[in-house]
Amino acid sequence: MPSTDFTGGFRMLPYLDPSEPKHASLKGFCFDILRSSAPRFLPEFHTAFREAADEWDAQLLAKGEASYTAGCQNFVLCFLCRSMIEIDPSAPGPASLAEQGPSLIQAWTALQLVPQTSLGLPTPIEVLLQTFPVPYTLVSNQYNKIYQFFFTNAQHVLDIAEQKYGLDREEACHNLLFLICFNTWGGMQLLMPSIVRRIDSAGVSFQRELARDVRSAVGEDGRLTMAALERMKLVKSTVYEVLRMDPPVPFQYGRAKEDLIVESHDASYRIRKGELLGGYQKIAMRDPKAFQFPDTFMPRRFMGPDAERLLQNVTWSNGPETEDPTLNNKQCAGKDFVNMLARMFIAELYLRYDFFKLGPISGSGPTAQYKFKVLQRRRDGSS
């Protein structure tokens, strides 16, 4: 866990054990935010995506390439703030983030992730960075700006935290910020690039299949609805496969509350109370005894009669895909929300374009830069 200096002196929900009293209150607050925001998800995502796509098209026309990375950072933040706290992060005002939102959040999250992220620096420097705590003072100004934006503009959301869940207003605001900026925005900056990279690697013919899946599901009126999303079988399977291969949160940790035995397929391990356990999702979800050709991207893997059985082994959310997050477990509160965002992104992409092609990717991990070299607009003009 990073120093609580990064989060106003409070331990955030992801670092609380379900046995702690505040865990249920804070997770209930998260569930409430997602429920109350749900009617705005589709329209706000459509608007934010269209703004990003217009910019990509303009960049391609002017420069022959378009920054997917910058567009993704902006449109995801706009969507989250517009849908969850009902204000644009760049809207004028005393606490406006202007155009700085993504860069401020990136600076704040990056320092917290240094111990588990490769920045491409020489090994001795990375070892030092991963060994010693990085001081919060380096990003205190950036975090204060983000906090003031949420505290100023999310009073109606904080009212719910205080009145319905009995939470301290300041603590609730830091958790709201963490939910939107660290958990969701940060996670989508890893997941969405993986989606375009994996789809690009599968070729144009596969993209045409995705386009047919999307367009047949929405029907003649071309309107994206939740029911239409559910009908997109190939889109849904593709998202599961990307989450299996590239989980946005690859590491999970926990301390044993009692002596226990952990079993694998062919061995068992004695764990003592108090010992720290670390899980690495990229190994767990590439188990050859659970998945055929586990290191191969197979977007149709979760279509057909074996889908339910295979989904039991998709654990990117800190729990099986076939189970639900509750107030009493540590499964990601936004498990279904993240899945929905990924499917909405693919759907919007193929309602507007027939296919895309990426240029060479520079950097790796959270610092990677993706660029579109081709964005073929939908030829029937129905975008």
Side-chain angles (χ1 to χ4, degrees):
M1 186 186 78
S3 167
T4 56
D5 289 345
F6 286 93
T7 49
F10 298 99
R11 288 169 62 221
M12 296 292 96
L13 172 63
Y15 305 123
L16 298 180
D17 187 83
S19 63
E20 297 181 70
K22 282 187 179 177
H23 182 275
S25 298
L26 287 169
K27 199 164 186 179
F29 177 44
C30 289
F31 287 148
D32 210 312
I33 294 169
L34 292 169
R35 279 194 303 269
S36 61
S37 305
R40 295 184 290 274
F41 287 157
L42 281 170
E44 293 294 358
F45 193 91
H46 174 74
T47 299
F49 177 88
R50 185 182 60 203
E51 292 166 354
D54 286 345
E55 180 61 25
W56 290 329
D57 290 342
Q59 288 181 21
L60 271 168
L61 186 62
K63 304 176 183 178
E65 62 181 18
S67 173
Y68 166 77
T69 304
C72 181
Q73 291 174 349
N74 287 322
F75 100 73
V76 172
L77 183 60
C78 286
F79 159 71
L80 292 173
C81 292
R82 292 171 186 170
S83 61
M84 292 187 179
I85 63 173
E86 300 182 75
I87 190 167
D88 192 298
S90 61
S96 173
L97 296 178
E99 303 301 322
Q100 295 180 296
S103 61
L104 295 173
I105 298 169
Q106 202 165 34
W108 169 67
T109 57
L111 291 195
Q112 297 175 75
L113 295 173
V114 161
Q116 55 178 275
T117 303
S118 174
L119 301 175
L121 300 173
T123 300
I125 296 176
E126 290 216 335
V127 169
L128 285 173
L129 289 174
Q130 293 170 353
T131 302
F132 299 101
V134 181
Y136 164 68
T137 52
L138 295 176
V139 291
S140 59
N141 288 336
Q142 290 92 326
Y143 185 71
N144 286 335
K145 288 180 182 177
I146 304 167
Y147 179 82
Q148 288 304 318
F149 167 76
F150 281 95
F151 194 77
T152 301
N153 295 294
Q155 289 296 315
H156 58 297
V157 180
L158 300 181
D159 286 342
I160 296 171
E162 188 175 49
Q163 297 166 14
K164 185 174 180 179
Y165 296 97
L167 294 167
D168 173 83
R169 211 170 181 84
E170 185 180 350
E171 183 174 11
C173 188
H174 286 289
N175 271 277
L176 174 65
L177 188 163
F178 198 90
L179 166 69
I180 291 177
C181 298
F182 193 102
N183 288 145
T184 314
W185 184 88
M188 296 312 289
Q189 299 317 306
L190 296 172
L191 178 59
M192 284 189 171
S194 291
I195 289 172
V196 295
R197 178 170 56 85
R198 292 292 182 182
I199 290 176
D200 180 63
S201 72
V204 171
S205 61
F206 172 65
Q207 293 193 55
R208 294 192 187 281
E209 289 185 56
L210 277 175
R212 285 194 292 271
D213 189 47
V214 170
R215 295 168 195 177
S216 63
V218 299
E220 291 185 4
D221 67 359
R223 193 167 65 91
L224 186 60
T225 63
M226 289 298 179
L229 278 178
E230 284 301 310
R231 291 193 289 268
M232 298 175 192
K233 304 304 182 186
L234 181 57
V235 170
K236 186 184 294 188
S237 180
T238 299
V239 169
Y240 286 144
E241 181 70 344
V242 174
L243 286 167
R244 182 189 73 84
M245 297 203 73
D246 305 313
V249 183
F251 301 99
Q252 272 84 36
Y253 299 93
R255 200 169 290 279
K257 298 180 187 178
E258 58 188 33
D259 292 349
L260 69 153
I261 302 294
V262 174
E263 297 183 354
S264 70
H265 296 292
D266 48 19
S268 60
Y269 305 86
R270 185 180 303 278
I271 308 298
R272 301 294 185 184
K273 180 180 179 180
E275 289 184 332
L276 182 67
L277 306 180
Y280 187 48
Q281 293 282 6
K282 288 190 177 182
I283 291 178
M285 291 193 291
R286 298 193 188 190
D287 181 356
K289 294 188 177 181
F291 297 103
Q292 188 177 27
F293 307 114
D295 296 319
T296 301
F297 177 63
M298 298 172 62
R300 299 172 188 81
R301 187 186 297 273
F302 298 98
M303 299 172 72
D306 289 335
E308 188 76 8
R309 177 181 62 81
L310 292 175
L311 284 173
Q312 296 174 11
N313 301 296
V314 177
T315 55
W316 68 272
S317 63
N318 204 29
E321 191 66 26
T322 50
E323 296 181 8
D324 295 320
T326 70
L327 297 179
N328 301 312
N329 66 22
K330 290 304 295 180
Q331 192 162 18
C332 173
K335 163 183 167 277
D336 295 332
F337 176 62
V338 169
N339 192 300
M340 180 193 69
L341 285 189
R343 285 189 278 157
M344 286 197 300
F345 173 66
I346 295 175
E348 290 285 359
L349 194 62
Y350 291 105
L351 286 173
R352 183 178 178 109
Y353 302 106
D354 282 335
F355 63 87
F356 67 86
K357 292 182 181 179
L358 294 176
I361 300 169
S362 59
S364 61
T367 62
Q369 296 293 312
Y370 290 68
K371 292 183 178 180
F372 287 123
K373 296 298 288 185
V374 175
L375 277 170
Q376 178 61 57
R377 288 296 294 263
R378 187 170 173 177
R379 291 191 183 278
D380 64 11
S382 300
S383 56

